[in-house]
Amino acid sequence: MVALFLACSEDTFMIDESDDLIVEAYLYGGQQPVTISLEQLTTFGASPDQSLTVNDAFVTMIDEDVSIFEFSNSEDGLYMNQDLIPTAGATYLLDIAHNGDIYTSTTTVPTPPADMALNIESFEVSPVISIRDLQNLDLPDIELSWSNPDRDFY
């Protein structure tokens, strides 16, 4: 008879705290104010009491005309600009400076799909208190259609 013994030891791995940011922002043509949410990336298992919001960043957005829009910190981690009115089809550059790091991204605001049609305008949903409520929801069938010859929308 052969016996096989495996030994295990408990190792603690230390992961450096990250200075990376989580950036959440949406641009919709003609809709304002533009709001950007900034949070600090954290490690799995970090204390839930630790504040992750970032309130000391410098946030700007630049449009195709090279107009610069500065964002002000309005609440915990939320940066807002009341002057920027996104234009469908236009490209914007987002620039964030935080703790000596620069984060940049670009995006093009999508144009609304042509000939969009819904089979229903609105519907009500009862309050969901438990998983059983979700199982018993009676939702209508919703159909959305639009012209998409270039397959730009999914």
Side-chain angles (χ1 to χ4, degrees):
M1 179 162 101
V2 177
L4 178 64
F5 296 96
L6 298 175
C8 296
S9 66
E10 184 176 315
D11 291 329
T12 302
F13 295 98
M14 298 304 290
I15 299 174
D16 293 337
E17 292 296 319
S18 174
D19 286 335
D20 290 340
L21 295 181
I22 299 170
V23 180
E24 183 178 356
Y26 302 95
L27 294 178
Y28 298 102
Q31 292 186 13
Q32 65 182 125
V34 175
T35 304
I36 298 170
S37 172
L38 298 181
E39 291 186 354
Q40 193 77 40
L41 184 65
T42 187
T43 57
F44 181 75
S47 170
D49 299 330
Q50 178 183 2
S51 175
L52 300 176
T53 57
V54 173
N55 296 305
D56 58 347
F58 182 69
V59 179
T60 59
M61 193 169 287
I62 303 171
D63 67 10
E64 293 175 330
D65 297 327
V66 195
S67 298
I68 300 172
F69 299 91
E70 290 187 13
F71 284 70
S72 59
N73 184 257
S74 60
E75 293 179 30
D76 269 349
L78 292 179
Y79 292 78
M80 188 175 296
N81 182 288
Q82 299 281 350
D83 300 324
L84 174 62
I85 303 172
T87 303
T91 299
Y92 295 86
L93 169 69
L94 175 63
D95 191 33
I96 301 169
H98 180 253
N99 286 346
D101 293 322
I102 304 293
Y103 303 86
T104 61
S105 70
T106 59
T107 191
T108 301
V109 178
T111 56
D115 305 320
M116 190 169 78
L118 283 167
N119 69 328
I120 187 170
E121 289 294 320
S122 66
F123 62 93
E124 285 189 34
V125 176
S126 302
V128 175
I129 307 299
S130 71
I131 193 74
R132 188 173 306 256
D133 294 337
L134 285 174
Q135 294 170 338
N136 296 327
L137 279 179
D138 185 27
L139 298 175
D141 290 331
I142 301 173
E143 293 179 23
L144 175 64
S145 62
W146 62 89
S147 176
N148 194 21
D150 297 330
R151 300 195 181 275
D152 291 337
F153 299 97
Y154 301 94

